[in-house]
Amino acid sequence: NPFRTRELFAMFGINLSEVDYYNQNKDNVNQIVVKRNNILHHNDDASDLSNQDILNYLTEIKKYCKNLDEQVECKITNRNHCV
């Protein structure tokens, strides 16, 4: 979930709270994660989802992951060599 991701990234010096894309999308991504968990762990039959909903969720998660990857890439590219 996005809040655990924020905590993990902070351990590596990446402050997601300063990233506009993260702030704008964390609640939507969290809703997707909660829905997924309800389907897998709480017998939610997902009858309220259409195929298009699933495709939209996948697109949103891909964009979110790509943005996270960009944050890591930026940190790696701009890091100071400590060795």
Side-chain angles (χ1 to χ4, degrees), residues 43-81:
N43 297 323
D44 184 331
D45 66 4
S47 61
D48 58 330
L49 296 176
S50 69
N51 288 341
Q52 188 60 51
D53 291 332
I54 302 298
L55 293 173
N56 292 341
Y57 287 171
L58 290 171
T59 300
E60 191 165 340
I61 294 294
K62 281 177 61 174
K63 288 179 187 177
Y64 176 77
C65 290
K66 184 176 186 315
N67 184 265
L68 292 178
D69 188 54
E70 289 169 1
Q71 300 309 310
V72 172
E73 189 68 34
C74 182
K75 183 71 171 179
I76 292 170
T77 302
N78 293 322
R79 71 185 167 109
N80 294 327
H81 295 283

Side-chain angles (χ1 to χ4, degrees), residues 7-23:
E7 293 170 9
L8 175 66
F9 275 50
M11 290 180 198
F12 294 103
I14 300 170
N15 186 354
L16 290 178
S17 296
E18 296 176 353
V19 178
D20 288 338
Y21 186 88
Y22 171 82
N23 288 320

Side-chain angles (χ1 to χ4, degrees), residues 15-43:
N15 186 354
L16 290 178
S17 296
E18 296 176 353
V19 178
D20 288 338
Y21 186 88
Y22 171 82
N23 288 320
Q24 294 167 358
N25 293 282
K26 66 184 176 191
D27 292 329
N28 291 338
V29 170
N30 191 57
Q31 287 179 338
I32 294 168
V33 171
V34 167
K35 183 63 176 178
R36 174 242 178 230
N37 288 344
N38 286 341
I39 292 168
L40 291 177
H41 303 294
H42 303 291
N43 297 323

